[in-house]
Amino acid sequence: MVIAAHPDDVELCCAGTMARLAHAGHDLVLVHMTYGDKGGRDEPDVLARTRHQEAIDSAAMIGAVVDGRFCGDLELYPDDVTTKALADVWRKHDPSVVFTHRPDDYHPDHRITGELALAAGAQVAQSTPIWFMDTVGGVEFYPTDYVDVAATLDLKVEMLECHKSQMTWMAAARHASMPYMIRSAAGWRGLQSGMAAAEGFQPARAGDAWPFEDVTSLTFDKEAAR
Amino acid sequence: MVIAAHPDDVELCCAGTMARLAHAGHDLVLVHMTYGDKGGRDEPDVLARTRHQEAIDSAAMIGAVVDGRFCGDLELYPDDVTTKALADVWRKHDPSVVFTHRPDDYHPDHRITGELALAAGAQVAQSTPIWFMDTVGGVEFYPTDYVDVAATLDLKVEMLECHKSQMTWMAAARHASMPYMIRSAAGWRGLQSGMAAAEGFQPARAGDAWPFEDVTSLTFDKEAAR
Amino acid sequence: MVIAAHPDDVELCCAGTMARLAHAGHDLVLVHMTYGDKGGRDEPDVLARTRHQEAIDSAAMIGAVVDGRFCGDLELYPDDVTTKALADVWRKHDPSVVFTHRPDDYHPDHRITGELALAAGAQVAQSTPIWFMDTVGGVEFYPTDYVDVAATLDLKVEMLECHKSQMTWMAAARHASMPYMIRSAAGWRGLQSGMAAAEGFQPARAGDAWPFEDVTSLTFDKEAAR
Amino acid sequence: MVIAAHPDDVELCCAGTMARLAHAGHDLVLVHMTYGDKGGRDEPDVLARTRHQEAIDSAAMIGAVVDGRFCGDLELYPDDVTTKALADVWRKHDPSVVFTHRPDDYHPDHRITGELALAAGAQVAQSTPIWFMDTVGGVEFYPTDYVDVAATLDLKVEMLECHKSQMTWMAAARHASMPYMIRSAAGWRGLQSGMAAAEGFQPARAGDAWPFEDVTSLTFDKEAAR
Amino acid sequence: MVIAAHPDDVELCCAGTMARLAHAGHDLVLVHMTYGDKGGRDEPDVLARTRHQEAIDSAAMIGAVVDGRFCGDLELYPDDVTTKALADVWRKHDPSVVFTHRPDDYHPDHRITGELALAAGAQVAQSTPIWFMDTVGGVEFYPTDYVDVAATLDLKVEMLECHKSQMTWMAAARHASMPYMIRSAAGWRGLQSGMAAAEGFQPARAGDAWPFEDVTSLTFDKEAAR
Amino acid sequence: MVIAAHPDDVELCCAGTMARLAHAGHDLVLVHMTYGDKGGRDEPDVLARTRHQEAIDSAAMIGAVVDGRFCGDLELYPDDVTTKALADVWRKHDPSVVFTHRPDDYHPDHRITGELALAAGAQVAQSTPIWFMDTVGGVEFYPTDYVDVAATLDLKVEMLECHKSQMTWMAAARHASMPYMIRSAAGWRGLQSGMAAAEGFQPARAGDAWPFEDVTSLTFDKEAAR
């Protein structure tokens, strides 16, 4: 299960790994905390509908289920109501591994998503491993584990391209197209790990206080190798 | 292959993991850079002989070969002669993985050993993974990988106890017996990783510039699991 | 005064130091922010009562008073109501030193407890020194001060053993008994500081903006030495 | 625009740079999040009025406008209401650059001010550069950019001296007068940068996800140089 | 002036910025500390000659002079002889800015090159700014300044392609062609700074002890902007 | 005993603390590793004689002995000969505490001095506490202990002013007079610790492997308080 802030964060941060897990036979759930209603030029209501459909289209490419959608963009707070709503989603899907943003990511919604994921996990399932995924630009993110995504990078780009509403304004804001962005990111993380393309991850410090999976037994790698 | 500074550093820092590797059928080489001639109360010559025998006795418990012994304690420098001598040892044994001290360890000999290992590796075998082992007190060492040594902790203590010449003065200097020290360390690293006893490691940054083994394929874990 | 999240956190993190302070004649207050109603297998109401009694029994061993208990586990938020309630407790006891969790500890309740303690302190008593105590596994905690607890370690274990309701499930979750955990931790922190057993602390950055006690004048050491 | 917690934080942290910007012809807005009603010995209501006037007097020395004042000291929370109120202030002034506290500053109000500024900026103007200003004692603040304030240091001190209500109790609490404090700080930051007096800044990590101004094009330096 | 370890390090780490400086009318000197005689499959003597010619061809594309060549690869030590030889080269060219490797780069030759550059600079010209350039994989390198190289990225790739002897074995060792590597790196550093392609730099801590250029006055940016 | 690189480093970094120790009745030895023959405008031989006398004059103000003087500035290397020469000095004076530069200080001579001090200490006296003193500009130096030097700051300035040969060129190079520099530094470190003037220190990581003095028992504080 991935717990991400906005509808395209999975694609930006970990879709190559998710595609490998899907190919290995895992069931995937992609939780988007917000409607994504402010990431673009349309009216919030219209945009929220558009982006929900884009997220479903993208998820369908790896057979994943979409869930979440608790509030509008930048309306997310680390409060009791949202923690419990996320805990309910967690219980419903009972994941064996969770991926989320780091609580010190650059975007307020990402940071709060990370905090909410840790709090919901503490309520529901203290022994489920939680992994933090890379940030969009990788600033102050130091992966301890790299997953080879050379085989799924094209699929990752295709998933991202489902988010048609984001392509134009993001390219203007970033001075670079989104496919260029994630290909650069994958190439760079590959450069750091001796692979042609990679995604980087860190374990949450859950290991400090309750059972911690040995990195060598993470199902996303073992399964993929079969 | 382990490249350590003094005759008892393997036992202090990674013997539990080495014992698992030995049990998994690997051939092990323990390189001690120095004679260990100043770690105690005897005359250097006498002590060097004593400690060499202690190191051989300890290594024998896991069927390991002892090599190295380039100079006296605190006479180690990161110079051309020692780098080449270590490179020759490296070529002789042609290891698939190397463990050594971090170049910012607390002890001058440990620091220089780490630098020499990186330099010798660059000369001989740029694609061999190098792992840094924990420091004696763990200060400023942040493991990214933990190996479960619950099953080999008693053997680790027995190996350490071969170093009879070190027991008394170390206990006085540290206000704690050496077995107590390594049991505390193993318990603490276990506490951090949800195991009853563990040893911690970090990859060298070799991954920055040449092929990097995926953590999931490290032979010491895969073999042990068979 | 200690401000901790759950009824057994004092015992895990700083009881050896508290015992020394008690022996030196100080009055101690142990504030538990939560009921501890979810750390175990019983119904929350029953468990909360059980753990309150366990906390009182443990505190009695060093003559300490128990206070706090503002909400259930994982129901703690850094809000106005809780900050003011904690500020009232602070005013009531008017402590000369406060110990609490770091705001980046591994557990959500610990993190929020640390934030609440800093906020309450800012409201009540800007010149009271605040010290952060170690985390359970010590991950990303770098003590700047170590207190020798060799003389009080057995008492610390006895205090922890008052928390009978926590012994079985924690041992299963952690693959190690709680006494083994704190003995390992004390041995390791001792290993770092040349003592047989120690607890580690850091000053809060209150020193950045208002009077900061010189570490050499901390009453817990001076008193204990008398 | 500066978004600071209390009425004298601008003077302590960045007034030398603001004075240079003012001299270069920029319009400046100083947003104080709180009333400053608890930084001193008077009754909150009286003190809030006094400090508001002091802030206006100080701002007048560089022709700056004062805004903000959302709540009492230590009553600030990172909630929806305050975020939106700050976003409205942001829209009203439409700044080209924003200076604020780091979200890990030493004082709770400073930390929350930093978080609110990042959240309000994300709502209003994702491409406006945000710079963090130094903390009062500089602990754990590592400037990446230094601004030469030798020419405006005296004016900075005069601005600070407008805050008459703060002079006496701060000097007692800090064992140093406030002018001595900021002259020491300016001298030290100058020492680090080869200037006689300087102020230090860091960019917010907004650069991670949206257009980031090249440091060489910051208007406060270019303008000042004309 | 760039002080780099091997003949292709300039191209990998800072050629886009050097090309901008060349276009702005600066005279450039590229110092290669080693012969580059071990980066490939040929005999050292042959390879050294080949790589020297490749370096000259590449430098010619931006009108730069090549200098240095003090010893074979991995034969570099931070000794008196080499420091003085580099100091002589420094005096000969009298550069206004120097770029070099960080003393904690991943490769032993890079690390020693960085140390030698700092030591030679201390002997010759304490007030010349020194900037550290990115590492090949960017691990543990946190740029404080980014230079836009979108306009010179193709030229950078052409310069790198002059190093024909490196193309095949590097592509095999890294699982990625060298042009792919530097395009990924430029895209990623651009992603972090809102540009289509960038190179990252850090100032040496010379600022700690002698005059430090204000970042806004660095000639490589000012000149390029004319 | 202080082991510093150049004749005025003691005055810049720790003279306030040394003065307190002297007043408390301690015997002090100031070891200058180099002649200081290149810190100024005169011929090396002349300058070395001048600075030696200045160092003696300054040391006389606190009754300290001057020793060391092994080589010219920037001719210091971490080699066997110098390590042994420093070890001999160490044995001669048999100090109870040693202060030195951090091995990652900004100046090559300072860095090598720090390394030599650690190596010599390991040879002579593993249980002698070693403390690192602040750098001149404090960059990347994070004190864990602060010593109140308000009472000895004027004396510190007078000691520094003995180094007449350094006053003019340093003031020009740094854009600030040397007394202004150390008063700013003392004020800033005081600001961080609630004192009017302070000097900052860190313990060497000797605590990682052999007996570590409890910070509360450091003689320089206890003695001074008598």
Side-chain angles (χ1 to χ4, degrees), chain C residues 93-117:
Chain C
H93 300 293
D94 190 22
S96 55
V97 185
V98 168
F99 297 84
T100 192
H101 300 291
R102 262 183 74 94
D104 66 353
D105 195 289
Y106 70 91
H107 191 289
D109 283 347
H110 294 201
R111 283 197 293 274
I112 294 168
T113 295
E115 279 182 42
L116 286 166

Side-chain angles (χ1 to χ4, degrees), chain A residues 78-80 83 118-119 122-123 205 207-211, chain C residues 74 77 104-107 111 135 137-140 173-174:
Chain A
D79 53 28
D80 196 44
T83 305
L118 292 175
Q123 285 188 12
R205 291 203 303 145
D208 201 348
W210 47 73
Chain C
L74 295 163
Y77 291 91
D104 66 353
D105 195 289
Y106 70 91
H107 191 289
R111 283 197 293 274
T135 67
V139 172
E140 293 183 24
R174 300 290 242 153

Side-chain angles (χ1 to χ4, degrees), chain B residues 78 80 83 123 205 208-211, chain E residues 77 104-106 137 139 173-174:
Chain B
D80 196 44
T83 305
Q123 285 188 13
R205 291 203 304 144
D208 201 350
W210 48 74
Chain E
Y77 291 91
D104 67 352
D105 195 289
Y106 69 92
V139 173
R174 300 288 244 153

Side-chain angles (χ1 to χ4, degrees), chain A residues 38 73-75 77-78 104-108 111 135-141 169-170 172-175, chain D residues 78-81 83-84 102-103 114-115 118-120 122-124 126 205-212:
Chain A
K38 299 191 189 72
D73 294 14
L74 295 164
E75 291 169 5
Y77 290 90
D104 66 353
D105 195 289
Y106 70 91
H107 191 290
R111 283 197 293 274
T135 67
V136 174
V139 172
E140 293 184 23
F141 191 92
W169 82 272
M170 279 292 283
R174 301 287 242 155
H175 305 292
Chain D
D79 53 28
D80 196 44
V81 171
T83 304
K84 283 182 174 152
R102 261 183 75 94
E115 278 181 42
L118 291 175
Q123 284 188 13
V124 179
Q126 300 200 348
R205 291 204 301 145
D208 201 350
W210 48 75
F212 179 75

